[in-house]
């Protein structure tokens, strides 16, 4: 069964550094999402993306965050200057039609 | 902030027992989804309920959406060790699932 793949599985970075989290959504999917889950807390919505533009974003998704679909297969989340509180598991998801999200296994970001 | 509170937070039962997990909110949702998440993996969609009062069955799992579309329940009959995991409800207010609000989660452990 096709799946959403995320790389790397674990990223360690120093505070203030830029990170790019990568996702390869399922190939025929049109809707793309990023969510995050801070350890011990609930899954939180960051951003949704359709037709090469952001559909919705949360208050968390400030100017430090950006998303891009640089080619036909990748979907990336960039954090320009990481903060300690950005440490979390970041999940990418995609869907062919709305309401049927497929999540990847996440990238664990640790900011030191 | 739309909160989705799940209860109980933790549940440890023996194989063969029945259980019900609740997902409650003061907000109305267009639809509600249930996911299961295993350690180190992303959430996996189990079901989407859309209509108030709707009941959906997935083998031994029965999902119900409240009449007012503010709450939902998941009932598992004759639980098995393979049902062990974190169960998450997620509500959609946009009608397009472009921004899901996740619940606080119920961690279920089923022992032999």
């Amino acid at each position: 069964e096709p799946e959403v793949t995320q790389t790397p599985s674990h990223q360690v970075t120093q505070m203030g550094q830029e990170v790019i989290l990568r996702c390869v959504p399922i190939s025929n999917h049109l809707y793309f999402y990023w969510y995050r889950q801070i350890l011990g807390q609930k899954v939180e919505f960051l951003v949704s993306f359709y037709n090469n533009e952001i559909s919705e974003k949360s208050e968390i998704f400030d100017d430090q965050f950006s998303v891009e679909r640089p080619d036909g297969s990748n979907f990336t989340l960039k954090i320009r200057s990481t903060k300690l509180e950005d440490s979390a598991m970041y999940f990418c998801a995609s869907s062919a039609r709305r309401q049927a999200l497929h999540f990847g296994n996440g990238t664990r970001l640790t900011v030191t | 902030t739309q909160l989705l509170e799940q209860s109980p937070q933790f549940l440890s039962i023996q194989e063969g027992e029945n259980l019900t997990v609740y997902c409650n909110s003061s907000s109305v949702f267009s639809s509600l989804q249930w996911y299961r998440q295993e350690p180190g993996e992303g959430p996996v969609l189990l079901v989407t309920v859309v209509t108030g009062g709707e009941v959906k069955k997935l083998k031994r799992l029965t999902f119900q959406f409240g009449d007012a579309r503010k709450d939902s329940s998941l009932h598992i009959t004759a639980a098995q060790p393979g049902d062990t995991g974190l169960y998450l409800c997620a509500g959609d207010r946009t009608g397009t699932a472009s921004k899901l609000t996740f619940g606080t989660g119920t961690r279920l452990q089923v022992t032999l």
Side-chain angles (χ1 to χ4, degrees):
Chain A
E1 186 178 320
E3 56 183 31
V4 175
T5 55
Q6 292 186 241
T7 54
S9 55
H10 191 187
Q11 173 92 48
V12 182
T13 190
Q14 287 192 323
M15 197 167 54
Q17 296 296 303
E18 174 184 286
V19 292
I20 297 177
L21 309 183
R22 301 180 193 280
C23 171
V24 179
I26 295 172
S27 63
N28 63 341
H29 285 188
L30 302 175
Y31 304 90
F32 313 108
Y33 315 85
W34 283 100
Y35 285 78
R36 78 172 186 189
Q37 186 175 30
I38 295 171
L39 188 64
Q41 297 185 24
K42 59 183 181 176
V43 177
E44 299 175 292
F45 169 77
L46 292 178
V47 66
S48 58
F49 191 86
Y50 169 71
N51 201 25
N52 283 320
E53 58 184 34
I54 290 174
S55 309
E56 295 255 9
K57 60 181 182 178
S58 71
E59 314 78 54
I60 303 167
F61 195 88
D62 61 21
D63 292 345
Q64 293 301 309
F65 290 85
S66 62
V67 289
E68 198 177 30
R69 189 156 160 80
D71 52 43
S73 58
N74 291 285
F75 180 51
T76 61
L77 174 69
K78 182 195 290 186
I79 309 175
R80 275 183 250 288
S81 177
T82 50
K83 303 189 280 280
L84 294 176
E85 53 265 39
D86 293 329
S87 295
M89 184 73 94
Y90 287 81
F91 291 105
C92 172
S94 69
S95 62
R97 55 179 178 83
R98 290 161 172 166
Q99 296 186 353
L101 273 66
H102 295 252
F103 283 83
N105 285 335
T107 292
R108 180 169 298 284
L109 176 66
T110 302
V111 183
T112 62
Chain B
T1 305
Q2 312 128 36
L3 289 176
L4 274 171
E5 297 288 339
Q6 287 184 238
S7 60
Q9 275 188 290
F10 302 97
L11 193 53
S12 181
I13 61 170
Q14 290 193 316
E15 183 180 20
E17 291 185 31
N18 302 332
L19 67 118
T20 302
V21 175
Y22 299 94
C23 174
N24 294 301
S25 176
S26 56
S27 300
V28 176
F29 291 97
S30 301
S31 66
L32 200 133
Q33 301 183 346
W34 282 93
Y35 291 82
R36 192 170 95 182
Q37 186 179 19
E38 310 222 19
E41 298 182 10
V44 175
L45 179 64
L46 298 174
V47 78
T48 301
V49 284
V50 178
T51 308
E54 182 177 4
V55 176
K56 278 192 175 177
K57 293 195 174 192
L58 188 67
K59 296 183 184 176
R60 293 175 295 100
L61 278 59
T62 302
F63 304 86
Q64 183 160 11
F65 202 11
D67 290 341
R69 290 187 286 125
K70 293 182 181 181
D71 53 79
S72 181
S73 63
L74 156 61
H75 182 80
I76 302 179
T77 304
Q80 298 176 359
D83 295 328
T84 294
L86 179 66
Y87 289 83
L88 302 167
C89 63
D92 169 35
R93 292 193 72 191
T94 66
T96 61
S98 59
K99 180 180 179 180
L100 295 178
T101 299
F102 274 82
T104 48
T106 293
R107 189 164 297 282
L108 172 65
Q109 175 147 22
V110 183
T111 56
L112 291 169

